[in-house]
Amino acid sequence: MRSLFRLLAVLLLGASPALAWEHWGGDRGGMRFSPLAQITPDNVGTLVRAWDFRTGDLDVRAPEVMKRTKFETTPLVVEDSLIFCTPFNEVIALDPGTGVQKWRYDPKISTAQRPANRYVCRGVAYWVDDRAAEGSACRSRIFTGTNDVRLIALDAKTGQPCAEFGTGGEIRIDAGIKLEWPGEFQITSAPVMGRGVVVVGSSISDNRRVDAPLGTVRAYDARTGQPRWTFDPLVHEGVSAGGSNVWAPMSVDEGRGLVFLPTTSPSPDFWGGKRPGNNEHANSVVALRIATGELVWAFQTVHHDVWDYDLPAQPTLARIDTGDGMRDVVIQPTKQGFVFVLDRDTGKPVWPVEERAVPQGGAEGELLSPTQPFPTHVPPLLTQRISADDAFSLLPGFGGACKKLLADARNEGLFTPPSTQGTVVYPMTGGGVNWGSAAFDPVNQILYANTSHAVHMIKLIPREEAKGFSPPPGHDFGRQEGAPFGMSRSVAMSPLGLLCNKPPWGEMVAVDLKAGKILWHSTVGTSEDVAPLGIAFHWGTPLLSGVAITAGGLVFTGAMDAYLRAFDAKSGRELWQGRLPVPGIANPMTYLWKGDQYVAIGAGGHSEAGTSIGDSVVAFRLPRQGEGMSLWSRLIDRPGGRFAGKAAAAGLVLIALVALLCRWRRRRRVKAV
């Protein structure tokens, strides 16, 4: 009865009640909510691995190529298949119950191009042509974008290219500018569909040059591939810049005929002297007519961005109780940890957003905005200020390096401008909520999001010095050609390789939007798969990926250790861990197949995050009659991991002994001198 009630509630609230997972975000609006309730807090601890499918990339790709992959795919379940893409844009269809391959399409992208944002494919899009005859070829289609900037249409049942789309099933997209190298411009997120139109964004290399490729969003006829419209988010009058592209996932309101774009910062990220003003419509949620590309509204979340605080998350389309009745909204989380809630028809904030004064005194030639927008109703999802006194020390007396690093940099809180002195950017440019986006429970009216907590050190390097600059290990370097400064970026870390800010370093957050209240924080992830001897400190890991929520009262997520986890949606308590071959830094999803509810996740690691690399998709379900958890699973598929508490305690003692030994030896050397 409870499951039936929840399903009826979802229907009444206007959310998609699909028992499959037909879109990258679960539904067109990215709520990541499933009405399935077979798996519950009471039985989730008995989940068993149903199947593990390997793409084979580890076997056939060169190791140096695999070291440039990010396995961020979220599968769809459509046309009786589970369909996903690999980092190399192969599209694979599996039997949802067994994981056996049904078909596979390889676009044969070149691995000599070295894409700027690594080899990655977050997902594919599904569309059914209601004008086509039942059973005809390509009536149902899978659309995918590629790292070498093609848009491809495949028959969803067979994987064969749809010959009538573009040229032989594909469109080659021109960047409209001479590229420095082929990988400067790529497609990483899934296209979106609406009213017979397919829309695709692009990903562009950061901080290479002022005149970077334009961030043009492109739309095509879903049947023929004929161009329908283009939209450049950046208003170029009086501005010399590129970028402001849409690399993150988009959302569609089919009923309204709107597509919602989360746009990025103009080029380059950390100096904007050649792009005066607020740079409309960069760093904005933008609503367009999907049929024509006409601008309906835009709301900017950062003015004149010089912190790389672009919008990385899919705009979540939900119907919420505001206290004054139900309202259709767009929920946009940010890297800073803000949550903007906007009216879906007008783009105006549902609750007040204040323009507050922010630090000034930018680098030479900079033209900072004197204020930035701050939401007032929903509190930030994470802390937004750090001082030298907040530096993390594993043991008393060993935090000096981090304390000095933070003390020597310019640090006036959120929106402190980049400087030649070096500036603390906290939350970091990959912090807060990232491409995994947020999830919304339409029944209980609660928003869930993963957040990352880390510090970036940003330093501007004068042009003459930048010409011969060689970045130290662990530092990114961007030439920012055309600007008077290059830039260096690094994560603030101790000599032991630990983050300089205190744990937790990754948290799941639950928010009551109506009340404007954070219900709970829950630490996600341990150090088990990166620390010596598998020591499992419960400090959390940075969380780029997102969550999936169910009417069964569960929230599922991966982390940078090799586990899929389930949390109680009401309390945030961790209930279960399922061991993965390598970390699943991808969004989980859930579906019903032949009476069983499954939870699946891409488990291929993430080279940029420094994890081990794999090529798997793994699915779990409840045990069937006669099945049971193995002894190994009973030991590791539980909260805390492999005897985490005892291992952490033993590890801390070991580290303390090693640290004391090192200090003793250092003192002996000093005395000897």
Side-chain angles (χ1 to χ4, degrees), residues 245-429:
N245 50 302
V246 180
W247 65 263
M250 296 173 276
S251 298
V252 170
D253 183 327
E254 179 79 2
R256 285 175 169 83
L258 298 178
V259 58
F260 298 89
L261 320 177
T263 68
T264 72
S265 50
S267 60
D269 286 338
F270 300 104
W271 185 84
K274 290 190 176 181
R275 45 179 173 88
N278 285 349
N279 305 143
E280 289 87 1
H281 300 292
N283 300 87
S284 299
V285 185
V286 178
L288 305 178
R289 300 278 179 210
I290 197 166
T292 64
E294 172 194 357
L295 175 66
V296 177
W297 57 258
F299 180 87
Q300 191 170 62
T301 61
V302 179
H303 309 319
H304 191 83
D305 183 12
V306 291
W307 305 273
D308 195 16
Y309 278 158
D310 55 353
L311 291 181
Q314 181 181 28
T316 302
L317 308 186
R319 186 168 175 79
I320 68 169
D321 182 356
T322 64
D324 297 320
M326 302 301 293
R327 193 165 173 182
D328 289 344
V329 300
V330 181
I331 304 168
Q332 183 64 60
T334 75
K335 290 180 177 180
Q336 307 96 287
F338 288 138
V339 177
F340 291 90
V341 182
L342 311 173
D343 183 275
R344 206 180 304 175
D345 291 310
T346 67
K348 300 209 177 287
V350 170
W351 294 290
V353 172
E354 294 180 352
E355 288 289 334
R356 297 179 185 171
V358 293
Q360 297 296 292
E364 181 182 354
E366 188 53 86
L367 301 163
L368 297 171
S369 172
T371 64
Q372 293 293 344
F374 285 72
T376 61
H377 179 70
V378 180
L381 303 183
L382 70 166
T383 57
Q384 296 175 323
R385 179 180 285 271
I386 188 170
S387 71
D389 293 335
D390 298 321
F392 175 55
S393 176
L394 184 62
L395 296 168
F398 284 85
C402 280
K403 192 166 187 175
K404 177 173 171 49
L405 187 65
L406 295 173
D408 288 349
R410 185 175 177 186
N411 182 12
E412 298 157 35
L414 192 62
F415 298 117
T416 303
S419 62
T420 54
Q421 172 186 345
T423 290
V424 169
V425 173
Y426 182 75
M428 67 182 285
T429 67

Side-chain angles (χ1 to χ4, degrees), residues 4 18 23 41 55 78 165 190 328 342 397 406 494 534 546:
L4 178 60
H23 304 275
T55 69
V78 295
F165 182 84
D328 289 344
L342 311 173
L406 295 173
S494 74

Side-chain angles (χ1 to χ4, degrees), residues 59-80:
D59 300 326
V60 300
R61 308 281 183 182
E64 61 269 19
V65 172
M66 292 301 296
K67 288 177 182 177
R68 295 188 59 81
T69 61
K70 299 187 290 190
F71 199 87
E72 297 177 353
T73 191
T74 301
L76 308 184
V77 172
V78 295
E79 302 293 343
D80 293 336

Side-chain angles (χ1 to χ4, degrees), residues 44-321:
V44 68
T46 67
L47 286 179
V48 296
R49 186 182 296 190
W51 51 261
D52 177 349
F53 174 84
R54 288 193 55 215
T55 69
D57 278 333
L58 275 179
D59 300 326
V60 300
R61 308 281 183 182
E64 61 269 19
V65 172
M66 292 301 296
K67 288 177 182 177
R68 295 188 59 81
T69 61
K70 299 187 290 190
F71 199 87
E72 297 177 353
T73 191
T74 301
L76 308 184
V77 172
V78 295
E79 302 293 343
D80 293 336
S81 296
L82 183 142
I83 303 177
F84 67 97
C85 56
T86 75
F88 303 99
N89 301 117
E90 289 187 72
V91 182
I92 300 174
L94 308 179
D95 181 288
T98 65
V100 172
Q101 181 175 306
K102 297 173 69 173
W103 57 256
R104 185 179 192 127
Y105 174 79
D106 184 359
K108 302 187 184 305
I109 67 170
S110 169
T111 54
Q113 63 178 322
R114 296 182 64 84
N117 295 295
R118 310 201 180 207
Y119 295 98
V120 59
C121 179
R122 295 189 183 91
V124 299
Y126 171 67
W127 178 68
V128 177
D129 183 356
D130 54 11
R131 296 184 194 171
E134 289 282 351
S136 60
C138 284
R139 181 177 188 272
S140 59
R141 301 184 179 194
I142 295 294
F143 288 91
T144 185
T146 67
N147 288 286
D148 59 2
V149 209
R150 286 178 279 164
L151 178 62
I152 299 172
L154 305 173
D155 187 305
K157 292 183 179 294
T158 67
Q160 293 298 308
C162 298
E164 67 275 21
F165 182 84
T167 302
E170 69 177 40
I171 297 165
R172 292 186 175 270
I173 296 173
D174 185 352
I177 188 176
K178 181 176 174 55
L179 300 177
E180 288 196 356
W181 80 102
E184 187 182 14
F185 179 72
Q186 62 189 120
I187 299 172
T188 55
S189 289
V192 292
M193 309 294 308
R195 300 197 175 185
V197 177
V198 54
V199 184
V200 65
S202 63
S203 182
I204 298 170
S205 177
D206 288 339
N207 303 308
R208 297 286 297 189
R209 47 180 172 150
V210 167
D211 59 342
L214 300 180
T216 306
V217 177
R218 297 167 173 85
Y220 302 90
D221 185 286
R223 297 178 178 87
T224 67
Q226 286 296 309
R228 292 287 292 268
W229 51 262
T230 61
F231 176 78
D232 183 352
L234 186 61
V235 177
H236 287 276
E237 185 176 353
V239 168
S240 177
S244 302
N245 50 302
V246 180
W247 65 263
M250 296 173 276
S251 298
V252 170
D253 183 327
E254 179 79 2
R256 285 175 169 83
L258 298 178
V259 58
F260 298 89
L261 320 177
T263 68
T264 72
S265 50
S267 60
D269 286 338
F270 300 104
W271 185 84
K274 290 190 176 181
R275 45 179 173 88
N278 285 349
N279 305 143
E280 289 87 1
H281 300 292
N283 300 87
S284 299
V285 185
V286 178
L288 305 178
R289 300 278 179 210
I290 197 166
T292 64
E294 172 194 357
L295 175 66
V296 177
W297 57 258
F299 180 87
Q300 191 170 62
T301 61
V302 179
H303 309 319
H304 191 83
D305 183 12
V306 291
W307 305 273
D308 195 16
Y309 278 158
D310 55 353
L311 291 181
Q314 181 181 28
T316 302
L317 308 186
R319 186 168 175 79
I320 68 169
D321 182 356

Side-chain angles (χ1 to χ4, degrees), residues 529-608:
D529 290 300
V530 294
L533 306 178
I535 301 167
F537 292 114
H538 192 58
W539 290 339
T541 72
L543 301 169
L544 302 174
S545 51
V547 307
I549 51 180
T550 72
L554 295 168
V555 189
F556 291 93
T557 187
M560 287 190 185
D561 58 0
Y563 290 98
L564 175 64
R565 288 178 166 83
F567 292 79
D568 186 291
K570 289 185 178 179
S571 67
R573 185 166 64 92
E574 186 176 333
L575 301 175
W576 170 81
Q577 295 176 348
R579 188 67 175 167
L580 302 171
V582 299
I585 306 179
N587 283 10
M589 49 80 73
T590 185
Y591 59 95
L592 190 70
W593 182 253
K594 295 185 177 179
D596 289 323
Q597 182 182 352
Y598 292 76
V599 182
I601 190 169
H606 197 281
S607 61
E608 208 165 25

